[in-house]
Amino acid sequence: MPSFCSTQRAKMSVWQKLNTKGTEAKALARCGHSALLHNNQMVVFGGEDSADRLLADVQVLDLDKLTWTRMDCKGASAGSSTPGAGTPCARSGHSAVVYKGAMFIFGGSGAGGKVLADLYSLDLSNGTWTLLAPSGKAPAARSKHVAIVAGSSMIVHGGWNPDSGAAFKELAIYSFESNEWKAVSVSGAVERIWHSAVWRGKSSGSDELDGLYVVAGQLQELKLFDYFRVAGEDEQIFLHNELFHVT
């Protein structure tokens, strides 16, 4: 049974539906998952299927051959609390980034709607999961947040915890090299969920500062269309802050 995904040709601005093969479409149908690019492959993890069942599989699309395969992952039994062991439980609303050949997933919502604060890495060369135990102050459990890679760090922003009813606006920065969390308080922005963010590094010959750009999202029942940039050495300077409420 063929499955489909779409791509956009930048010059023509035309969407194209792609016929893919491999894993059946019913096994790929999902929402609340993550997807990232690694070695010309799209790596998809987790989410929930059309029957609202949470998923913990890793599906890989070869972008040259347009073929899906399920990665055979290994690790100790799910739910292990031992650092360096275990596989992540099924979840949705998590974040995923790639750094030096490994996928890092953080948080999300697990069984019974329980929000998570665990951090796992997956070696994409051999399918080995590792449960990490970073030092420092870990961010609170959350889902529907964003995470991006900036240099040798992962920046986590936003999300919410339905148990406490709290939404978040601070930054949590994880160092891949030192395996350490750092919390950064911020001002001038609104807490949010379901938003997007990108990191823009310095360009050669440019005076532009490095910056985390955040756009849109949701605050309670209010849909947002705002954008702002976090920049500066203290990581607390907000620029380009414009706010539009979409009702």
Side-chain angles (χ1 to χ4, degrees), residues 80-86 104-106 117-121 129-139 154 173-182:
S80 172
S81 60
T82 304
F104 291 77
I105 67 164
F106 169 71
D118 50 359
L119 177 64
Y120 281 86
S121 68
W129 283 106
T130 301
L131 173 61
L132 302 175
S135 60
K137 183 179 179 181
M154 175 177 71
I173 301 178
Y174 171 75
S175 169
F176 296 111
E177 301 300 329
S178 64
N179 190 31
E180 179 182 12
W181 282 110
K182 179 177 69 172

Side-chain angles (χ1 to χ4, degrees), residues 1 6 24 53 56 59-61 66 108 125 154 213 222 230-231 240 245:
M1 180 179 181
S6 296
E24 291 190 356
R53 293 172 298 201
Q59 302 284 351
V60 181
L61 176 65
L66 294 182
S125 67
M154 175 177 71
Y213 289 79
L222 185 65
V230 188
H240 301 314
H245 291 169

Side-chain angles (χ1 to χ4, degrees), residues 9 54 85 105 163 203 220 227:
R9 296 176 179 175
L54 292 172
I105 67 164
D163 295 333
S203 301
Q220 297 179 354
Y227 68 95

Side-chain angles (χ1 to χ4, degrees), residues 2-236:
S3 55
F4 303 97
C5 60
S6 296
T7 185
Q8 187 181 38
R9 296 176 179 175
K11 292 183 179 180
M12 298 178 63
S13 298
V14 175
W15 285 101
Q16 179 185 6
K17 183 177 287 186
L18 303 178
N19 291 319
T20 63
K21 52 186 181 292
T23 307
E24 291 190 356
K26 65 181 180 181
L28 295 169
R30 66 191 65 204
C31 66
H33 54 284
S34 59
L36 52 79
L37 179 67
H38 174 66
N39 288 346
N40 210 34
Q41 296 177 322
M42 182 170 67
V43 182
V44 174
F45 169 73
E48 58 182 83
D49 65 14
S50 55
D52 298 328
R53 293 172 298 201
L54 292 172
L55 304 170
D57 57 332
V58 179
Q59 302 284 351
V60 181
L61 176 65
D62 185 309
L63 296 175
D64 290 322
K65 301 178 181 179
L66 294 182
T67 300
W68 287 100
T69 57
R70 176 169 177 156
M71 182 179 290
D72 183 17
C73 299
K74 52 187 176 290
S77 60
S80 172
S81 60
T82 304
T87 58
C89 64
R91 67 190 65 203
S92 67
H94 56 283
S95 60
V97 301
V98 64
Y99 180 77
K100 289 187 176 180
M103 177 172 70
F104 291 77
I105 67 164
F106 169 71
S109 180
K114 179 182 178 181
V115 285
L116 305 166
D118 50 359
L119 177 64
Y120 281 86
S121 68
L122 174 66
D123 187 326
L124 294 173
S125 67
N126 59 27
T128 301
W129 283 106
T130 301
L131 173 61
L132 302 175
S135 60
K137 183 179 179 181
R142 68 192 63 199
S143 65
K144 305 174 183 177
H145 54 283
V146 296
I148 56 94
V149 173
S152 60
S153 298
M154 175 177 71
I155 301 177
V156 173
H157 177 264
W160 81 308
N161 184 317
D163 295 333
S164 64
F168 306 100
K169 66 177 181 179
E170 81 283 357
L171 302 179
I173 301 178
Y174 171 75
S175 169
F176 296 111
E177 301 300 329
S178 64
N179 190 31
E180 179 182 12
W181 282 110
K182 179 177 69 172
V184 177
S185 60
V186 296
S187 60
V190 178
E191 58 273 14
R192 65 194 62 213
I193 62 175
W194 292 132
H195 52 301
S196 299
V198 297
W199 176 263
R200 182 188 181 191
K202 291 180 180 178
S203 301
S204 177
S206 171
D207 293 330
E208 195 73 44
L209 293 173
D210 290 354
L212 171 69
Y213 289 79
V214 177
V215 63
Q218 181 175 335
L219 173 61
Q220 297 179 354
E221 299 302 316
L222 185 65
K223 302 296 190 299
L224 302 172
F225 183 73
D226 59 340
Y227 68 95
F228 55 87
R229 185 180 74 180
V230 188
E233 294 182 359
D234 60 1
E235 297 165 324
Q236 297 183 55

